[in-house]
Structure formats: structure tokens, C-alpha cells
């Protein structure tokens, strides 16, 4: 938790932006795995954390902008709670930590809301069904009215504030990056024939737990890297194949890291693997050189596609004019995902508030063409934005089969040569960067081994 002045100042900026009415922010509650006493690890709502710093279940914050009053709603710990969990701060003490002067029992929240029904009540779109039900009862609206009736003004204000990372936040993200670095370095060192994917995934997730809150998302670690979100860890590493590892950590204050490296099992890339790896690495490095304030990330994504197309053309897998191929969406056969996304308190920062609102605006709209449409963040970059850069090349048999059968972009693709790579898998490389005043830098200053020579050296 930061100094309470940080949260006071954030809420004051939010108050000035929204300007009138009531702001209601709901924290999360416990979620049962299979019965109420056996819950998933508690994960506080990121926006609630951002504006209060309070990391406990069943809390709500209410700001009456018109009367300039704010309240923390919650319940005091019972003796039974203390028996099982130890002495914990009282509700009043927790409120003071966040700079909130008034507290009320959670049971009083409906009373407070009832007295405000003639004024606009601003809330964020709920992503947990429990909070949707709670809001439905609280505001006397049906579920679908709750999911569509959230405040656009509040949502856009939160997105604008959270997208620009402060120095305190960047320090937290650097710590998350340090943990992620250790995870990936360990995975590289374990990348040997005969080792199970599950063992490596378990070891690196253990590091995330030992040094922070745990993994920032479910670890992707597989020889079948052509499956973009492959959470199956049932394979046994074998010589000649690649291990794609996409993993990151949350530090103790919930800030996330997200890296990807693709390692030759046993530490020796084949020539074919080197050819593809070199293209992906060029796309990564050139993208890092391009990102800076004023540049749209959508244009950086397109440039990565340009590098991928021209690299594959040099290998004889595709053909034709670059601009025509880019306009037709040819590179999406090999990289059907976006170049990156925002990163912060969430690994896909604030996407619960609306991916399009986070990543696009009135100036930069989402493309509808396959591949381009998967770019989560396309808007003009600003100093303080933190984004991932993660180009890749994949050979997805079902997708290749579909394009060939439906004659999609046949004038640009040598399908007979592409099909020779259907046993290849995929390569993705990913780094986290913060946009500075005139360029970008790594969030965690020490870059993970990324060149072919560096990775081979670590494994061997």
C-alpha cells in the first residue's frame, strides 16, 4: 500500500473529473472453490485497490461528490474471524490508512443509496456475477440493466488515470518484472530433453508465489506453441522442438509482469528455427525502437506485420508486394494476435472496463480485418503508458488448411511450402516497456536473454 496521500489525491482527481453525483466502487468478495470455507485466493478488484489501497473482502467505497463526503462500508471482524485469521485492523483503522474519514456497516449501504436515487450513481461495469447481483438489488434494476447501465464518465476517467503509471507504480512493476525474469531464466535452464512441461511450469509458478502473489495469469508453457494460449502442460520435452513460455508474476501489491521466450530444447536451434526466430526478434527490436509518445500502436503493429511478411518472403513462404499483402491481411495467417496490450494492476490492464475503451479512442478505431482486429491496444502512445510488445510466427495446421481450402490470399501464399512447417509449432518473444518522454525503456531494466546465442548459452 502506498502512502495514504496517494489515494487521497487519486480520489480527488476522480471527483473533479466526474464532477457530480455519487461514485460507488465495489471491492471483491471471497469466491468458493467447492464450498464457502474453501475459497480461491482472494483477489481484490484492481480499481478498488487503485483508489483505496485496501486489500480485504467485502468492502465498498462511496463518494458523494455534491456534498463532498466519502465513506468506507464494511463489517468489523468478529471474534470468530480473529480466531481463524488473527488480529486484524478495524474498519476505522483501514479507512484511515486510505485517508477515508467516515465508516459505516455494509448493511447501511442500501440505506445510503436509497437516499441518492434522485441523483446519478456512477459505477463500473461488474465482471463478477456476485457484484452484478449486489448492484441489481442495491439499485433495484435487472441484471441486464446493470451490465449496460454503468457510468461511461466514470469508466473513462478511471481508464485515463490508470493508463498513466506514476513513479510509485513503475517501481512496483519493476519488482514484478524482476520476479518474471527469475521465472523465465529458470525455465530456460530447465529446458532439456526428458523434462516435463508440468514440472517447469510448477517450478516457475512456485517462484512467483515465493517472491510475490503468484502468477499474473495462467502460465503458457508448451512445445505446441502454435496454440496461442496453451495451458496444457502434459508434454515431455524432446530434442529438436521448441518450448514457448509465456508467463509473468504479480508482486505483493498486485502489479504484473508478462514475458515470453521461445527456447530450443537442449539449447541448440536448428537452422529452420533460427530463420523464423530471427524474423520474430527483428519484429520485437524494431517495434521497441518505434514506440514513443505520439506514435499509434496500431502503426507499430502494422510495421511488425511488414517485417514478418518480408522475412517469410525471403524464405519463400509468401510472395507479392508488401503493401498489397498488408492490406489483404496476409501476415495474420502467421500471427493472428495483436502486437501487445496495456499492462499494470491487471496483466491485460483494465480490460474488464472495456478493451476497446482502454485500447482505442475517437481518433484510432479498431480494425475489422482478421489479425488486425485482435490488437487490444492501438491508440496513440503517451509517456507513462506501459505496454507489452510480443510479435510471433506460428504455423497453425487448421488455420492453414482453412485458408487453402477457402482460397484466402492464395495470390500471396506458397501453401505447398507453408505446409512443410506444420510440425514447427510457434515462436513468440515478449518484453514489457514503459513509454518515456521521447522513447521507451524496459520496465525491468535487465533484459531477459533474447538473442539465439544468449538463449543457447543459458540452456547449455
Amino acid at each position: 500500500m502506498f502512502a495514504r496521500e496517494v489515494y487521497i489525491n487519486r480520489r480527488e482527481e476522480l471527483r473533479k473529473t466526474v464532477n457530480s453525483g455519487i461514485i460507488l466502487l465495489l471491492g471483491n468478495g471471497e469466491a468458493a472453490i467447492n464450498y464457502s470455507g474453501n475459497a480461491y485466493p482472494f483477489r481484490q478488484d484492481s480499481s478498488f485497490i487503485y483508489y483505496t489501497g485496501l486489500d480485504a473482502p467485502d468492502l465498498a467505497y462511496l463518494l458523494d461528490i455534491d456534498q463532498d463526503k466519502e465513506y468506507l462500508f464494511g463489517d468489523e471482524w468478529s471474534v470468530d474471524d480473529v480466531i481463524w485469521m488473527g488480529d486484524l485492523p478495524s474498519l476505522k483503522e483501514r479507512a484511515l490508512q486510505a485517508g477515508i474519514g467516515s465508516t459505516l456497516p455494509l448493511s447501511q449501504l442500501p440505506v445510503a443509496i436509497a437516499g441518492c436515487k434522485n441523483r446519478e450513481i456512477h459505477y463500473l461495469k461488474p465482471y463478477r456475477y456476485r457484484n452484478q447481483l449486489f448492484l441489481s438489488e442495491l439499485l433495484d434494476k435487472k441484471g441486464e440493466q446493470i451490465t449496460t447501465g454503468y457510468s461511461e464518465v466514470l469508466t473513462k476517467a478511471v481508464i485515463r488515470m490508470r493508463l498513466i503509471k506514476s513513479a510509485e507504480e513503475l517501481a512496483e512493476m519493476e519488482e514484478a518484472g524482476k520476479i518474471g525474469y527469475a521465472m523465465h531464466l529458470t525455465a530456460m535452464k530447465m529446458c532439456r530433453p526428458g523434462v516435463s512441461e508440468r514440472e517447469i511450469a510448477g517450478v516457475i509458478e512456485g517462484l512467483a508465489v515465493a517472491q510475490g502473489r503468484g502468477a499474473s495469469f495462467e502460465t503458457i508453457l508448451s512445445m505446441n506453441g502454435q496454440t496461442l494460449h496453451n495451458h496444457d502442460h502434459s508434454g515431455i520435452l524432446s530434442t529438436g522442438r521448441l518450448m514457448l513460455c509465456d508467463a509473468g508474476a504479480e508482486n505483493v501489491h498486485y502489479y504484473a509482469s508478462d514475458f515470453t521466450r521461445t527456447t530450443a530444447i537442449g539449447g541448440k536451434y536448428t537452422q529452420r528455427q533460427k530463420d523464423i526466430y530471427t524474423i520474430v526478434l527483428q519484429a520485437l527490436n524494431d517495434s521497441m525502437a518505434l514506440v514513443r509518445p505520439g506514435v499509434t500502436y496500431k502503426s507499430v503493429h502494422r510495421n511488425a506485420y511488414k517485417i514478418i511478411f518480408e522475412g517469410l518472403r525471403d524464405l519463400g513462404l509468401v510472395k507479392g508486394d508488401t503493401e498489397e499483402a498488408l492490406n489483404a491481411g496476409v501476415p495474420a495467417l502467421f500471427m493472428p494476435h495483436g502486437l501487445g496490450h496495456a499492462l499494470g494492476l491487471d496483466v491485460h490492464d483494465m480490460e474488464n472496463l472495456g478493451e476497446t475503451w482502454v485500447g482505442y479512442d475517437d481518433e484510432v478505431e479498431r480494425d475489422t480485418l482478421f489479425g488486425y482486429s485482435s490488437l487490444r491496444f492501438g491508440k496513440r502512445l503517451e509517456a507513462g503508458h506501459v505496454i507489452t510488445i510480443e510479435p510471433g510466427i506460428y504455423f497453425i495446421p487448421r488455420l492453414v488448411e482453412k485458408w487453402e481450402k477457402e482460397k484466402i490470399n492464395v495470390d500471396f501464399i506458397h501453401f505447398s511450402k507453408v505446409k512443410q512447417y506444420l510440425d514447427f509449432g510457434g515462436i513468440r518473444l515478449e518484453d514489457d516497456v514503459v513509454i518515456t518522454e521521447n522513447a521507451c525503456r524496459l520496465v525491468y531494466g535487465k533484459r531477459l536473454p533474447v538473442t539465439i546465442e544468449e538463449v543457447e548459452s543459458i540452456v547449455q
Side-chain angles (χ1 to χ4, degrees):
M1 188 173 183
F2 301 128
R4 68 176 185 167
E5 287 75 21
V6 171
Y7 304 104
I8 292 171
N9 291 338
R10 287 174 177 174
R11 295 195 300 271
E12 176 61 17
E13 184 177 345
L14 191 65
R15 182 188 69 79
K16 291 178 179 177
T17 304
V18 177
N19 194 41
S20 65
I22 303 295
I23 293 175
L24 176 63
L25 298 177
L26 295 182
N28 282 333
E30 299 278 12
I33 296 176
N34 47 14
Y35 60 93
S36 60
N38 184 28
Y40 289 100
F42 175 69
R43 209 317 182 163
Q44 185 59 285
D45 174 75
S46 294
S47 291
F48 192 85
I49 278 280
Y50 184 82
Y51 289 104
T52 71
L54 298 175
D55 188 21
D58 302 321
L59 296 174
Y61 168 76
L62 187 147
L63 172 59
D64 187 329
I65 297 174
D66 306 319
Q67 298 184 22
D68 196 21
K69 293 181 180 179
E70 58 179 357
Y71 306 88
L72 179 68
F73 290 84
D75 295 322
E76 295 292 356
W77 305 110
S78 68
V79 172
D80 201 43
D81 292 326
V82 172
I83 290 171
W84 290 100
M85 297 183 293
D87 287 322
L88 297 164
S90 68
L91 184 66
K92 187 70 175 178
E93 289 170 332
R94 285 178 280 167
L96 289 175
Q97 289 174 344
I100 302 170
S102 300
T103 61
L104 288 168
L106 192 59
S107 61
Q108 291 300 302
L109 182 56
V111 178
I113 292 295
C116 303
K117 284 193 174 177
N118 293 327
R119 291 187 287 158
E120 187 168 8
I121 298 174
H122 301 274
Y123 65 90
L124 301 173
K125 183 178 181 179
Y127 55 92
R128 287 196 177 183
Y129 192 55
R130 172 187 179 276
N131 280 353
Q132 180 182 331
L133 287 174
F134 184 61
L135 283 170
S136 181
E137 295 174 2
L138 200 61
L139 303 179
D140 193 25
K141 294 182 178 180
K142 294 180 180 180
E144 58 269 23
Q145 292 176 301
I146 292 298
T147 55
T148 58
Y150 59 92
S151 170
E152 180 175 334
V153 173
L154 176 62
T155 303
K156 289 184 175 179
V158 171
I159 289 171
R160 181 184 59 79
M161 290 180 65
R162 284 183 55 190
L163 270 180
I164 306 298
K165 303 300 187 289
S166 66
E168 298 98 333
E169 290 183 286
L170 290 174
E172 296 291 329
M173 296 192 71
E174 184 174 0
E175 186 178 312
K178 183 178 181 181
I179 302 169
Y181 184 99
M183 294 167 69
H184 279 271
L185 204 62
T186 299
M188 288 179 185
K189 291 178 179 179
M190 295 180 68
C191 186
R192 299 181 177 279
V195 179
S196 74
E197 296 169 346
R198 189 175 306 283
E199 180 181 352
I200 301 175
V203 169
I204 67 174
E205 288 187 358
L207 286 173
V209 172
Q211 299 179 33
R213 285 190 173 271
S216 52
F217 57 97
E218 190 174 356
T219 296
I220 299 163
L221 190 148
S222 176
M223 292 180 290
N224 292 310
Q226 76 280 2
T227 302
L228 302 184
H229 282 180
N230 197 336
H231 303 302
D232 174 48
H233 307 311
S234 62
I236 305 297
L237 301 189
S238 58
T239 303
R241 298 194 66 182
L242 298 165
M243 181 188 77
L244 189 152
C245 179
D246 186 342
E250 278 189 344
N251 82 330
V252 294
H253 293 137
Y254 288 124
Y255 284 89
S257 61
D258 181 5
F259 302 121
T260 306
R261 290 295 185 263
T262 306
T263 305
I265 296 166
K268 194 67 178 175
Y269 292 92
T270 66
Q271 187 57 52
R272 188 169 71 156
Q273 290 167 349
K274 288 180 180 180
D275 292 340
I276 301 299
Y277 193 105
T278 300
I279 300 169
V280 177
L281 181 57
Q282 183 187 347
L284 174 62
N285 288 338
D286 283 19
S287 296
M288 289 179 68
L290 283 176
V291 293
R292 63 189 64 238
V295 173
T296 67
Y297 204 45
K298 188 175 182 178
S299 69
V300 183
H301 174 97
R302 183 180 175 90
N303 187 71
Y305 266 177
K306 175 179 181 291
I307 292 167
I308 287 169
F309 176 78
E310 292 179 345
L312 294 175
R313 186 175 61 191
D314 290 342
L315 295 178
L317 277 69
V318 295
K319 57 186 176 179
D321 177 76
T322 298
E323 287 303 308
E324 289 180 5
L326 293 180
N327 292 337
V330 175
L333 174 64
F334 306 98
M335 189 180 104
H337 62 76
L339 184 62
H341 52 81
L343 184 71
L345 280 167
D346 308 311
V347 70
H348 283 189
D349 210 22
M350 295 178 287
E351 288 189 7
N352 63 295
L353 301 179
E355 182 189 308
T356 298
W357 278 1
V358 173
Y360 294 87
D361 53 25
D362 293 338
E363 178 198 9
V364 182
E365 296 182 351
R366 183 189 291 270
D367 206 311
T368 57
L369 190 61
F370 178 69
Y372 292 98
S373 62
S374 295
L375 179 63
R376 290 178 147 92
F377 192 97
K379 66 172 63 169
R380 200 168 296 279
L381 298 168
E382 298 179 44
H385 285 172
V386 176
I387 55 171
T388 67
I389 304 177
E390 47 183 303
I393 293 177
Y394 317 87
F395 296 90
I396 306 170
R398 288 285 297 275
L399 186 60
V400 173
E401 177 187 350
K402 172 183 171 65
W403 278 36
E404 183 179 32
K405 182 178 180 180
E406 298 179 12
K407 301 187 184 306
I408 299 172
N409 287 322
V410 292
D411 293 336
F412 297 96
I413 300 168
H414 291 295
F415 281 102
S416 60
K417 293 184 179 180
V418 170
K419 286 192 288 186
Q420 295 173 17
Y421 283 76
L422 293 185
D423 62 346
F424 185 91
I427 291 176
R428 179 162 67 251
L429 301 173
E430 176 183 17
D431 284 320
D432 305 338
V433 301
V434 54
I435 309 304
T436 60
E437 291 301 322
N438 53 19
C440 77
R441 66 168 176 84
L442 296 170
V443 175
Y444 177 57
K446 191 175 181 181
R447 193 181 193 188
L448 271 166
V450 69
T451 68
I452 289 171
E453 295 75 19
E454 288 171 342
V455 177
E456 287 185 340
S457 177
I458 291 294
V459 179
Q460 293 174 12

